[in-house]
Coordinates of all heavy atoms in Angstrom, one line a residue:
M264 N -6.4 -24.0 -7.8 CA -5.0 -23.9 -8.3 C -5.0 -22.5 -9.2 O -5.9 -22.2 -9.8 CB -4.6 -25.0 -9.1 CG -3.1 -25.0 -9.5 SD -2.8 -26.6 -10.3 CE -1.8 -26.1 -11.7
S265 N -3.8 -21.8 -9.0 CA -3.7 -20.5 -9.8 C -3.6 -20.7 -11.3 O -3.0 -21.7 -11.7 CB -2.5 -19.8 -9.2 OG -2.6 -19.5 -7.9
D266 N -4.1 -19.8 -12.1 CA -3.9 -19.8 -13.5 C -2.6 -19.7 -13.9 O -2.0 -18.7 -13.6 CB -4.8 -18.8 -14.0 CG -5.0 -18.9 -15.6 OD1 -4.2 -19.3 -16.2 OD2 -6.1 -18.6 -16.1
V267 N -2.0 -20.6 -14.7 CA -0.6 -20.6 -15.0 C -0.1 -19.3 -15.7 O 0.9 -18.9 -15.6 CB -0.3 -21.9 -15.7 CG1 -0.8 -21.9 -17.1 CG2 1.3 -22.1 -15.8
K268 N -1.0 -18.8 -16.4 CA -0.6 -17.6 -17.3 C -0.3 -16.3 -16.4 O 0.3 -15.4 -16.8 CB -1.6 -17.2 -18.4 CG -2.9 -16.5 -18.0 CD -3.7 -16.3 -19.1 CE -5.2 -15.8 -18.8 NZ -6.0 -15.7 -19.9
Y269 N -0.7 -16.3 -15.1 CA -0.5 -15.2 -14.2 C 0.8 -15.5 -13.3 O 1.1 -14.8 -12.4 CB -1.6 -14.9 -13.4 CG -2.8 -14.5 -14.3 CD1 -3.9 -15.4 -14.5 CD2 -2.8 -13.2 -14.9 CE1 -4.9 -15.0 -15.3 CE2 -3.9 -12.8 -15.7 CZ -4.9 -13.7 -15.9 OH -5.9 -13.4 -16.8
M270 N 1.4 -16.7 -13.5 CA 2.5 -17.0 -12.6 C 3.8 -16.6 -13.1 O 4.0 -16.6 -14.3 CB 2.5 -18.6 -12.4 CG 1.3 -19.2 -11.9 SD 0.8 -18.6 -10.3 CE 1.9 -19.5 -9.3
G271 N 4.7 -16.2 -12.3 CA 6.0 -15.9 -12.6 C 6.9 -17.0 -12.1 O 6.6 -18.0 -11.6
L272 N 8.2 -16.8 -12.4 CA 9.2 -17.8 -12.0 C 10.4 -17.2 -11.1 O 10.7 -16.1 -11.4 CB 9.9 -18.5 -13.3 CG 9.0 -19.4 -14.0 CD1 9.7 -19.8 -15.3 CD2 8.5 -20.5 -13.3
T273 N 10.7 -17.9 -10.2 CA 11.9 -17.5 -9.4 C 13.1 -17.9 -10.1 O 13.1 -18.5 -11.2 CB 11.9 -18.1 -8.0 OG1 12.2 -19.5 -8.2 CG2 10.6 -17.9 -7.3
R274 N 14.2 -17.4 -9.7 CA 15.6 -17.8 -10.3 C 15.7 -19.3 -10.4 O 16.4 -19.8 -11.3 CB 16.7 -17.1 -9.6 CG 18.0 -17.4 -10.2 CD 19.0 -16.6 -9.5 NE 20.5 -17.1 -9.9 CZ 21.6 -16.6 -9.5 NH1 21.6 -15.7 -8.5 NH2 22.8 -17.1 -9.8
D275 N 15.3 -20.0 -9.3 CA 15.3 -21.4 -9.4 C 14.4 -22.2 -10.2 O 14.2 -23.3 -10.3 CB 15.2 -22.0 -8.0 CG 16.4 -21.7 -7.1 OD1 17.5 -21.4 -7.6 OD2 16.2 -21.6 -5.8
G276 N 13.5 -21.4 -10.8 CA 12.5 -22.0 -11.6 C 11.2 -22.3 -11.0 O 10.3 -23.0 -11.6
N277 N 11.0 -22.0 -9.7 CA 9.8 -22.3 -9.0 C 8.8 -21.2 -9.4 O 9.1 -20.1 -9.6 CB 10.1 -22.3 -7.5 CG 11.0 -23.4 -7.1 OD1 10.8 -24.5 -7.5 ND2 12.1 -22.9 -6.2
S278 N 7.5 -21.6 -9.3 CA 6.4 -20.7 -9.7 C 6.2 -19.6 -8.7 O 6.3 -20.0 -7.4 CB 5.2 -21.4 -10.1 OG 4.7 -22.2 -8.9
W279 N 5.8 -18.4 -9.0 CA 5.5 -17.3 -8.1 C 4.4 -16.5 -8.6 O 4.5 -16.1 -9.8 CB 6.8 -16.5 -7.9 CG 6.7 -15.3 -7.1 CD1 6.6 -15.2 -5.7 CD2 6.4 -14.0 -7.6 NE1 6.4 -13.9 -5.3 CE2 6.3 -13.2 -6.5 CE3 6.5 -13.4 -8.9 CZ2 6.1 -11.8 -6.6 CZ3 6.2 -12.1 -9.0 CH2 6.1 -11.2 -8.0
E280 N 3.5 -16.2 -7.9 CA 2.3 -15.4 -8.3 C 2.4 -14.0 -7.8 O 2.4 -13.8 -6.4 CB 1.1 -16.0 -8.0 CG -0.2 -15.3 -8.6 CD -1.5 -16.0 -8.3 OE1 -1.6 -16.9 -7.6 OE2 -2.5 -15.5 -8.9
P281 N 2.3 -12.9 -8.5 CA 2.2 -11.5 -8.0 C 1.1 -11.3 -7.2 O -0.1 -11.9 -7.4 CB 2.2 -10.7 -9.3 CG 2.7 -11.6 -10.4 CD 2.3 -12.9 -10.0
Q282 N 1.2 -10.5 -6.1 CA 0.2 -10.1 -5.2 C 0.0 -8.6 -5.4 O 0.7 -7.8 -4.6 CB 0.4 -10.5 -3.7 CG 0.7 -12.0 -3.6 CD -0.5 -12.9 -3.8 OE1 -1.6 -12.4 -3.4 NE2 -0.4 -14.0 -4.4
F283 N -0.9 -8.2 -6.1 CA -1.0 -6.7 -6.4 C -1.7 -6.0 -5.3 O -2.7 -6.5 -4.6 CB -1.9 -6.4 -7.6 CG -1.2 -7.1 -8.9 CD1 -1.9 -7.9 -9.8 CD2 0.1 -6.7 -9.3 CE1 -1.3 -8.4 -10.9 CE2 0.7 -7.2 -10.4 CZ 0.0 -8.1 -11.3
V284 N -1.2 -4.8 -5.0 CA -1.8 -4.0 -3.9 C -3.1 -3.4 -4.6 O -3.2 -2.8 -5.7 CB -0.9 -2.9 -3.4 CG1 -0.6 -1.8 -4.6 CG2 -1.5 -2.2 -2.2
T285 N -4.2 -3.6 -3.8 CA -5.6 -3.1 -4.4 C -6.2 -2.1 -3.5 O -7.1 -1.4 -3.9 CB -6.4 -4.3 -4.5 OG1 -6.5 -5.1 -3.4 CG2 -6.1 -5.1 -5.8
E286 N -5.8 -2.0 -2.2 CA -6.4 -1.0 -1.2 C -5.3 -0.6 -0.3 O -4.4 -1.2 0.0 CB -7.6 -1.6 -0.5 CG -8.8 -1.8 -1.3 CD -10.0 -2.4 -0.5 OE1 -10.1 -1.9 0.6 OE2 -10.5 -3.4 -0.8
L287 N -5.6 0.7 0.2 CA -4.7 1.2 1.3 C -5.6 1.9 2.3 O -6.3 2.8 2.0 CB -3.7 2.2 0.7 CG -2.5 2.6 1.6 CD1 -1.3 3.1 0.8 CD2 -2.9 3.7 2.6
D288 N -5.6 1.5 3.5 CA -6.4 2.0 4.6 C -5.8 3.2 5.2 O -5.0 3.2 6.1 CB -6.6 1.0 5.7 CG -7.4 1.4 6.9 OD1 -8.0 2.5 6.7 OD2 -7.5 0.7 7.9
Q289 N -6.3 4.5 4.7 CA -5.7 5.7 5.1 C -6.1 6.0 6.6 O -5.4 6.9 7.2 CB -6.2 6.8 4.2 CG -5.6 6.7 2.9 CD -5.8 8.0 2.0 OE1 -6.9 8.7 2.2 NE2 -5.0 8.3 1.2
G290 N -7.1 5.4 7.1 CA -7.5 5.5 8.5 C -6.5 5.0 9.4 O -6.4 5.4 10.6
S291 N -5.7 4.0 9.0 CA -4.7 3.4 9.8 C -3.4 3.9 9.6 O -2.5 3.8 10.4 CB -4.7 1.9 9.6 OG -5.9 1.3 10.0
C292 N -3.1 4.5 8.4 CA -1.8 5.0 8.0 C -1.3 6.1 8.9 O -2.0 7.0 9.2 CB -1.9 5.5 6.5 SG -0.4 6.2 5.8
I293 N 0.0 6.1 9.2 CA 0.7 7.1 10.1 C 1.6 7.9 9.2 O 2.4 8.8 9.7 CB 1.4 6.4 11.3 CG1 2.5 5.5 10.8 CG2 0.4 5.9 12.2 CD1 3.3 4.9 11.9
G294 N 1.7 7.7 7.9 CA 2.4 8.6 7.0 C 3.9 8.5 7.1 O 4.6 9.4 6.9
C295 N 4.3 7.2 7.6 CA 5.8 7.1 7.9 C 6.6 7.0 6.5 O 7.8 7.3 6.6 CB 6.0 5.8 8.6 SG 5.6 4.3 7.8
G296 N 6.0 6.8 5.4 CA 6.7 6.7 4.2 C 7.5 5.4 3.9 O 8.2 5.4 2.8
R297 N 7.4 4.4 4.7 CA 8.2 3.3 4.5 C 7.9 2.5 3.2 O 8.7 2.1 2.5 CB 8.1 2.2 5.7 CG 8.7 2.6 7.0 CD 8.5 1.5 8.1 NE 9.2 1.7 9.3 CZ 8.7 2.4 10.3 NH1 7.5 3.0 10.3 NH2 9.5 2.6 11.4
C298 N 6.5 2.4 2.9 CA 6.1 1.8 1.7 C 6.5 2.6 0.5 O 7.0 1.8 -0.5 CB 4.6 1.5 1.7 SG 3.6 3.1 1.9
Y299 N 6.5 3.8 0.6 CA 7.0 4.6 -0.5 C 8.4 4.4 -0.8 O 8.8 4.3 -2.0 CB 6.7 6.1 -0.2 CG 7.1 7.1 -1.3 CD1 6.2 7.5 -2.2 CD2 8.4 7.5 -1.5 CE1 6.4 8.5 -3.2 CE2 8.7 8.4 -2.5 CZ 7.7 8.9 -3.3 OH 8.0 9.9 -4.2
K300 N 9.3 4.2 0.2 CA 10.7 4.0 0.0 C 11.0 2.7 -0.5 O 12.0 2.6 -1.4 CB 11.4 4.2 1.3 CG 11.4 5.7 1.9 CD 12.2 5.8 3.1 CE 12.1 7.1 3.7 NZ 12.5 7.3 5.1
V301 N 10.3 1.7 -0.2 CA 10.7 0.3 -0.7 C 10.0 0.0 -2.0 O 10.6 -1.0 -2.7 CB 10.4 -0.8 0.3 CG1 11.1 -0.7 1.6 CG2 8.9 -0.9 0.5
C302 N 9.0 0.6 -2.3 CA 8.4 0.3 -3.7 C 9.3 0.5 -4.8 O 9.7 1.7 -5.1 CB 7.0 1.1 -3.8 SG 6.1 0.6 -5.3
P303 N 9.5 -0.5 -5.8 CA 10.3 -0.3 -6.9 C 9.6 0.4 -8.1 O 10.1 0.7 -9.1 CB 10.7 -1.7 -7.3 CG 9.4 -2.5 -6.9 CD 8.9 -1.8 -5.5
R304 N 8.3 0.7 -7.9 CA 7.5 1.3 -8.9 C 6.9 2.6 -8.5 O 7.2 3.1 -7.5 CB 6.3 0.3 -9.4 CG 6.7 -1.1 -9.6 CD 7.6 -1.1 -10.9 NE 6.8 -0.8 -12.1 CZ 7.3 -0.8 -13.4 NH1 8.6 -1.2 -13.6 NH2 6.6 -0.5 -14.4
D305 N 6.1 3.2 -9.4 CA 5.5 4.5 -9.1 C 4.1 4.4 -8.6 O 3.1 4.9 -9.2 CB 5.6 5.4 -10.3 CG 5.3 6.8 -10.1 OD1 5.5 7.3 -8.9 OD2 4.9 7.6 -11.0
V306 N 3.8 3.7 -7.4 CA 2.4 3.4 -7.0 C 2.0 4.4 -6.1 O 0.8 4.6 -6.0 CB 2.4 2.0 -6.5 CG1 1.1 1.7 -5.9 CG2 2.7 1.0 -7.6
F307 N 2.8 4.8 -5.1 CA 2.4 5.6 -4.0 C 2.7 7.2 -4.0 O 3.5 7.6 -4.8 CB 3.1 5.2 -2.7 CG 2.7 3.7 -2.3 CD1 3.8 2.8 -2.4 CD2 1.5 3.3 -1.9 CE1 3.6 1.4 -2.1 CE2 1.2 2.0 -1.6 CZ 2.3 1.1 -1.6
D308 N 1.8 7.9 -3.3 CA 2.1 9.3 -3.2 C 1.6 9.7 -1.7 O 0.6 9.2 -1.2 CB 1.2 10.1 -4.1 CG 1.7 11.5 -4.3 OD1 2.8 11.9 -3.9 OD2 1.0 12.3 -4.9
L309 N 2.4 10.6 -1.1 CA 2.1 11.1 0.3 C 1.2 12.4 0.2 O 1.6 13.3 -0.5 CB 3.4 11.4 0.9 CG 3.3 11.5 2.5 CD1 2.8 10.1 3.2 CD2 4.6 11.8 3.1
V310 N 0.0 12.3 0.7 CA -1.0 13.4 0.5 C -1.5 13.8 1.9 O -1.3 13.1 3.0 CB -2.2 12.9 -0.3 CG1 -1.6 12.6 -1.7 CG2 -2.9 11.8 0.3
E311 N -2.2 15.0 2.0 CA -2.8 15.5 3.2 C -4.2 14.9 3.3 O -4.9 14.8 2.4 CB -2.9 17.0 3.1 CG -1.6 17.7 3.2 CD -1.7 19.2 3.3 OE1 -2.8 19.7 2.9 OE2 -0.7 19.8 3.6
R312 N -4.5 14.6 4.5 CA -6.0 14.1 4.8 C -6.4 15.0 6.0 O -5.8 15.1 7.0 CB -6.0 12.7 5.2 CG -7.3 12.1 5.5 CD -7.3 10.6 5.8 NE -6.7 10.3 7.0 CZ -7.3 10.1 8.2 NH1 -8.6 10.5 8.4 NH2 -6.6 9.8 9.2
E313 N -7.7 15.5 5.7 CA -8.3 16.3 6.8 C -8.6 15.5 8.0 O -9.1 14.4 7.8 CB -9.5 17.1 6.3 CG -9.1 18.2 5.3 CD -10.4 19.1 5.2 OE1 -11.3 19.1 5.9 OE2 -10.3 19.7 4.1
I314 N -8.4 16.0 9.2 CA -8.6 15.3 10.5 C -10.2 15.3 10.7 O -10.8 16.4 10.7 CB -7.9 15.9 11.6 CG1 -6.4 15.6 11.4 CG2 -8.4 15.3 12.9 CD1 -5.5 16.3 12.5
D315 N -10.7 14.2 11.1 CA -12.0 14.1 11.5 C -12.2 14.7 13.0 O -11.5 14.1 13.9 CB -12.5 12.7 11.5 CG -13.9 12.6 12.0 OD1 -14.6 13.6 12.4 OD2 -14.4 11.4 11.9
E316 N -12.9 15.9 13.1 CA -13.0 16.5 14.5 C -13.5 15.6 15.5 O -13.2 15.7 16.7 CB -13.8 17.7 14.3 CG -13.2 18.8 13.5 CD -14.1 20.0 13.3 OE1 -15.2 20.0 14.0 OE2 -13.8 20.9 12.7
D317 N -14.2 14.6 15.2 CA -14.8 13.6 16.2 C -13.9 12.5 16.5 O -14.2 11.7 17.4 CB -16.1 13.0 15.6 CG -17.1 14.1 15.3 OD1 -17.1 15.2 16.1 OD2 -18.0 13.9 14.5
D318 N -12.7 12.5 15.9 CA -11.7 11.4 16.1 C -10.9 11.8 17.4 O -10.0 12.7 17.4 CB -10.8 11.1 14.9 CG -10.0 9.9 15.1 OD1 -9.7 9.5 16.1 OD2 -9.6 9.4 14.0
D319 N -11.1 11.1 18.5 CA -10.4 11.3 19.8 C -8.9 11.2 19.6 O -8.1 11.8 20.4 CB -10.9 10.4 20.8 CG -12.4 10.6 21.2 OD1 -12.8 11.8 20.9 OD2 -13.1 9.8 21.7
A320 N -8.4 10.4 18.6 CA -7.0 10.2 18.4 C -6.2 11.5 18.2 O -5.0 11.4 18.5 CB -6.8 9.2 17.3
Y321 N -7.0 12.4 17.7 CA -6.2 13.7 17.3 C -6.5 14.9 18.3 O -6.3 16.0 18.0 CB -6.6 14.1 16.0 CG -6.2 13.1 14.9 CD1 -7.1 12.2 14.3 CD2 -4.8 13.1 14.6 CE1 -6.6 11.3 13.4 CE2 -4.4 12.1 13.6 CZ -5.4 11.2 13.1 OH -4.9 10.3 12.1
D322 N -6.9 14.6 19.6 CA -7.4 15.6 20.5 C -6.3 16.5 20.8 O -6.3 17.8 21.0 CB -7.9 15.0 21.8 CG -9.3 14.5 21.6 OD1 -9.9 14.9 20.6 OD2 -9.7 13.9 22.6
D323 N -4.9 16.0 20.8 CA -3.8 16.8 21.2 C -3.1 17.4 19.9 O -1.9 17.9 20.0 CB -2.9 16.0 22.1 CG -3.5 15.7 23.4 OD1 -4.3 16.5 23.9 OD2 -3.2 14.6 23.9
Y324 N -3.7 17.3 18.8 CA -2.9 17.6 17.6 C -3.4 19.0 17.1 O -4.6 19.3 17.1 CB -3.4 16.5 16.5 CG -2.5 16.4 15.4 CD1 -1.2 15.9 15.4 CD2 -2.9 16.9 14.1 CE1 -0.4 15.8 14.4 CE2 -2.1 16.9 13.0 CZ -0.8 16.3 13.1 OH 0.1 16.2 12.1
D325 N -2.5 19.9 16.9 CA -2.8 21.3 16.5 C -3.2 21.4 15.0 O -4.0 22.3 14.8 CB -1.6 22.1 16.8 CG -1.2 22.2 18.2 OD1 -2.3 22.1 19.0 OD2 -0.1 22.4 18.6
D326 N -2.7 20.7 14.1 CA -3.1 20.9 12.7 C -4.4 20.3 12.2 O -5.0 19.5 13.0 CB -1.9 20.3 11.8 CG -0.6 21.0 11.8 OD1 -0.7 22.3 12.2 OD2 0.4 20.5 11.5
D327 N -4.9 20.9 11.2 CA -6.2 20.3 10.7 C -6.0 19.1 9.7 O -6.9 18.5 9.3 CB -6.9 21.4 9.9 CG -7.2 22.6 10.7 OD1 -7.5 22.3 12.0 OD2 -7.3 23.7 10.3
V328 N -4.7 18.9 9.4 CA -4.4 17.8 8.5 C -3.4 16.9 8.9 O -2.5 17.3 9.8 CB -4.1 18.3 7.0 CG1 -5.3 19.0 6.4 CG2 -2.9 19.1 7.1
V329 N -3.4 15.6 8.4 CA -2.3 14.6 8.7 C -1.8 14.2 7.3 O -2.5 14.2 6.3 CB -2.7 13.5 9.6 CG1 -2.9 13.9 10.9 CG2 -3.9 12.8 8.9
M330 N -0.5 13.8 7.2 CA 0.0 13.2 6.0 C -0.2 11.7 5.9 O 0.0 11.0 6.9 CB 1.4 13.4 5.8 CG 1.8 14.9 5.8 SD 0.9 15.8 4.6 CE 1.7 15.2 3.1
V331 N -0.9 11.2 4.9 CA -1.2 9.8 4.7 C -0.7 9.4 3.2 O -0.7 10.2 2.4 CB -2.6 9.4 4.9 CG1 -3.0 9.7 6.4 CG2 -3.5 10.3 4.0
M332 N -0.5 8.1 3.1 CA -0.2 7.5 1.8 C -1.4 7.2 1.1 O -2.4 6.9 1.6 CB 0.6 6.3 2.0 CG 1.5 5.9 0.8 SD 2.7 7.2 0.3 CE 3.8 7.0 1.7
E333 N -1.3 7.4 -0.4 CA -2.6 7.0 -1.1 C -2.0 6.3 -2.3 O -0.7 6.3 -2.7 CB -3.3 8.2 -1.6 CG -2.7 9.0 -2.7 CD -3.6 10.0 -3.4 OE1 -4.7 10.1 -2.8 OE2 -3.3 10.6 -4.4
L334 N -2.9 5.4 -2.9 CA -2.6 4.7 -4.2 C -2.6 5.7 -5.4 O -3.8 6.0 -5.8 CB -3.4 3.5 -4.3 CG -3.3 2.4 -3.3 CD1 -4.3 1.3 -3.6 CD2 -1.8 1.8 -3.3
K335 N -1.5 6.2 -5.7 CA -1.5 7.2 -6.8 C -1.7 6.4 -8.3 O -2.4 6.9 -9.1 CB -0.3 7.9 -6.9 CG -0.1 8.9 -8.1 CD 1.2 9.7 -8.0 CE 2.3 8.7 -8.4 NZ 3.7 9.3 -8.5
N336 N -1.0 5.3 -8.3 CA -1.1 4.6 -9.7 C -1.0 3.2 -9.4 O 0.1 2.6 -9.6 CB 0.2 5.1 -10.5 CG 0.3 4.6 -11.8 OD1 -0.7 4.0 -12.3 ND2 1.4 4.7 -12.4
A337 N -2.0 2.6 -8.9 CA -2.0 1.2 -8.5 C -1.8 0.3 -9.7 O -1.3 -0.9 -9.7 CB -3.4 0.7 -7.9
G338 N -2.0 0.8 -10.9 CA -1.8 -0.1 -12.1 C -0.4 -0.3 -12.5 O 0.0 -1.1 -13.3
D339 N 0.6 0.3 -11.8 CA 2.0 0.2 -11.9 C 2.6 -0.8 -11.0 O 3.8 -1.2 -11.1 CB 2.8 1.5 -11.8 CG 4.1 1.6 -12.5 OD1 4.2 1.0 -13.6 OD2 5.0 2.1 -11.8
C340 N 1.8 -1.4 -10.2 CA 2.2 -2.4 -9.1 C 2.6 -3.7 -9.9 O 2.0 -4.2 -10.8 CB 1.2 -2.6 -8.2 SG 1.4 -3.9 -7.0
I341 N 3.7 -4.3 -9.4 CA 4.2 -5.5 -9.9 C 3.9 -6.7 -9.0 O 4.3 -7.9 -9.1 CB 5.7 -5.6 -10.3 CG1 6.6 -5.2 -9.0 CG2 6.0 -4.5 -11.5 CD1 8.1 -5.3 -9.3
G342 N 3.3 -6.3 -7.8 CA 2.9 -7.4 -6.9 C 4.0 -8.0 -6.0 O 3.8 -9.1 -5.6
C343 N 5.0 -7.2 -5.7 CA 6.1 -7.8 -4.9 C 5.9 -8.0 -3.5 O 6.5 -8.7 -2.8 CB 7.4 -7.0 -5.2 SG 7.3 -5.4 -4.4
S344 N 4.9 -7.2 -2.9 CA 4.5 -7.2 -1.5 C 5.4 -6.6 -0.6 O 5.4 -6.8 0.7 CB 4.1 -8.7 -1.1 OG 3.1 -9.3 -1.7
A345 N 6.5 -5.9 -1.1 CA 7.5 -5.3 -0.2 C 6.8 -4.3 0.6 O 7.2 -4.0 1.8 CB 8.6 -4.7 -1.1
C346 N 5.8 -3.5 0.2 CA 5.1 -2.5 1.0 C 4.5 -3.0 2.2 O 4.6 -2.5 3.3 CB 4.1 -1.7 0.1 SG 2.9 -2.9 -0.8
S347 N 3.8 -4.2 2.1 CA 3.2 -4.8 3.3 C 4.2 -5.3 4.3 O 4.0 -5.3 5.5 CB 2.3 -5.9 2.9 OG 1.2 -5.5 2.1
T348 N 5.3 -5.7 3.7 CA 6.4 -6.3 4.6 C 7.0 -5.1 5.6 O 7.3 -5.4 6.8 CB 7.6 -6.7 3.7 OG1 7.1 -7.8 2.9 CG2 8.7 -7.3 4.7
V349 N 7.0 -3.9 5.1 CA 7.6 -2.9 6.0 C 6.6 -2.0 6.6 O 6.8 -1.2 7.6 CB 8.5 -1.9 5.1 CG1 9.6 -2.7 4.6 CG2 7.7 -1.2 4.0
C350 N 5.3 -2.1 6.3 CA 4.2 -1.2 6.9 C 3.9 -1.7 8.3 O 3.6 -2.8 8.6 CB 3.0 -1.4 6.1 SG 1.6 -0.4 6.9
P351 N 4.1 -0.7 9.3 CA 3.9 -1.1 10.7 C 2.4 -1.0 11.1 O 2.1 -1.4 12.2 CB 4.6 0.1 11.5 CG 4.5 1.3 10.5 CD 4.5 0.7 9.1
K352 N 1.5 -0.7 10.2 CA 0.1 -0.6 10.5 C -0.8 -1.5 9.7 O -2.0 -1.3 9.8 CB -0.4 0.9 10.4 CG 0.4 1.8 11.3 CD 0.3 1.6 12.7 CE -1.0 2.2 13.2 NZ -1.0 2.0 14.7
N353 N -0.1 -2.3 8.9 CA -1.0 -3.4 8.2 C -2.0 -2.6 7.3 O -3.2 -3.0 7.3 CB -1.6 -4.3 9.1 CG -2.0 -5.6 8.4 OD1 -1.5 -6.0 7.3 ND2 -3.0 -6.3 9.0
C354 N -1.6 -1.6 6.5 CA -2.6 -0.8 5.8 C -3.0 -1.3 4.4 O -4.0 -1.0 3.8 CB -2.0 0.5 5.5 SG -1.7 1.5 7.1
H355 N -2.0 -2.2 3.9 CA -2.2 -2.6 2.4 C -3.1 -3.9 2.3 O -3.0 -4.8 3.1 CB -0.9 -2.8 1.7 CG 0.1 -1.6 1.9 ND1 0.9 -1.5 3.1 CD2 0.4 -0.6 1.1 CE1 1.5 -0.3 2.9 NE2 1.3 0.2 1.7
T356 N -3.9 -3.9 1.3 CA -4.6 -5.1 0.9 C -4.1 -5.6 -0.5 O -3.9 -4.7 -1.4 CB -6.1 -4.8 0.8 OG1 -6.6 -4.3 2.1 CG2 -6.9 -6.1 0.4
H357 N -3.8 -6.8 -0.6 CA -3.3 -7.4 -1.9 C -4.3 -8.4 -2.4 O -5.0 -9.1 -1.7 CB -1.9 -8.1 -1.6 CG -0.9 -7.1 -1.2 ND1 0.0 -6.6 -2.2 CD2 -0.6 -6.6 0.0 CE1 0.8 -5.9 -1.5 NE2 0.5 -5.8 -0.2
T358 N -4.2 -8.5 -3.8 CA -5.0 -9.5 -4.4 C -4.2 -10.2 -5.4 O -3.3 -9.6 -6.1 CB -6.2 -8.7 -5.3 OG1 -7.0 -8.1 -4.2 CG2 -7.1 -9.8 -5.9
S359 N -4.2 -11.6 -5.5 CA -3.4 -12.3 -6.4 C -3.8 -12.0 -7.9 O -4.8 -11.7 -8.1 CB -3.7 -13.9 -6.1 OG -4.9 -14.2 -6.4
A360 N -2.8 -12.2 -8.8 CA -2.9 -11.8 -10.1 C -4.0 -12.6 -10.8 O -4.8 -12.0 -11.5 CB -1.6 -12.0 -10.8
S361 N -4.1 -13.9 -10.5 CA -5.1 -14.7 -11.1 C -6.5 -14.3 -10.6 O -7.4 -14.4 -11.4 CB -4.8 -16.2 -10.8 OG -4.7 -16.4 -9.4
S362 N -6.6 -13.8 -9.4 CA -7.9 -13.4 -8.9 C -8.5 -12.1 -9.6 O -9.7 -11.8 -9.5 CB -7.9 -13.1 -7.4 OG -7.6 -14.3 -6.8
M363 N -7.6 -11.4 -10.1 CA -7.9 -10.1 -10.8 C -8.3 -10.2 -12.2 O -8.6 -9.3 -12.8 CB -6.8 -9.1 -10.5 CG -6.5 -8.7 -9.1 SD -5.4 -7.4 -8.8 CE -6.3 -6.0 -9.5
A364 N -8.1 -11.4 -12.8 CA -8.3 -11.6 -14.2 C -9.8 -11.5 -14.6 O -10.6 -11.8 -13.7 CB -7.7 -13.1 -14.6
Ligands
SF4_214 S1 3.4 -4.7 -4.1 FE1 5.5 -4.0 -4.6 S2 5.2 -2.9 -6.6 FE2 3.1 -3.1 -5.6 S3 2.8 -1.3 -4.4 FE3 3.8 -2.9 -3.0 S4 6.0 -2.5 -3.1 FE4 5.0 -1.4 -4.9
SF4_215 S1 4.1 2.0 5.5 FE1 2.1 1.9 6.2 S2 1.9 3.5 7.8 FE2 3.7 3.9 6.7 S3 3.1 5.4 5.0 FE3 3.0 3.4 4.1 S4 0.8 2.7 4.5 FE4 1.2 4.4 5.8

C-alpha cells in the first residue's frame, strides 16, 4: 500500500499518487515536442543529439544531429503523467512518489 503522506486528493476526495517522470529515452524520441507542450511545469528542453553513424535509421538523413527532448529540470515535475499520455514513442519512465522516498 502507498505511503499516505505522498498521496494527493482528487476533487471528489479520492486518493491520488503522483507519478514523477524519472527517465526519458532519447534513442526513441523523435523530437515532436508533444510532451513539452502539455507539461504544466518547466521539466523539458529540446536539444540536439549527434547521430550515431552506425545507426541505419539515419542512412537517408543529411544532418549530423537530430532534435530530441531531455529532462532539463526533473525536480520540477508534479507527476501528472500528461507527457506519457501524448508521447507517440513511449519515451518516458515514471516512478510513484512513495517509491522515491
Ligand atoms: S508528469 Fe506532468 S509535470 Fe511531470 S514531466 Fe510529465 S507532464 Fe510534466
Ligand atoms: S512526446 Fe515523446 S517523442 Fe515527442 S518529443 Fe516528447 S519524448 Fe520525444
Side-chain angles (χ1 to χ4, degrees):
M264 190 171 138
S265 299
D266 191 325
V267 69
K268 72 182 175 185
Y269 298 105
M270 304 300 283
L272 291 177
T273 67
R274 181 176 167 181
D275 287 339
N277 295 311
S278 61
W279 173 80
E280 182 172 12
Q282 303 292 324
F283 297 125
V284 68
T285 47
E286 289 181 47
L287 192 157
D288 180 5
Q289 291 188 332
S291 298
C292 177
I293 58 173
C295 68
R297 287 181 173 92
C298 58
Y299 183 94
K300 287 180 185 167
V301 299
C302 181
R304 306 295 293 182
D305 190 26
V306 175
F307 296 115
D308 196 15
L309 200 57
V310 297
E311 290 184 345
R312 179 173 70 88
E313 285 192 25
I314 293 175
D315 179 356
E316 292 179 3
D317 297 329
D318 190 338
D319 296 337
Y321 296 104
D322 279 352
D323 297 328
Y324 201 72
D325 291 333
D326 289 336
D327 295 331
V328 296
V329 289
M330 300 305 291
V331 293
M332 202 60 69
E333 77 169 8
L334 295 178
K335 175 183 71 174
N336 185 15
D339 200 37
C340 176
I341 59 171
C343 67
S344 299
C346 48
S347 294
T348 302
V349 299
C350 180
K352 304 298 281 184
N353 199 25
C354 297
H355 309 84
T356 299
H357 294 261
T358 303
S359 63
S361 57
S362 298
M363 296 183 70

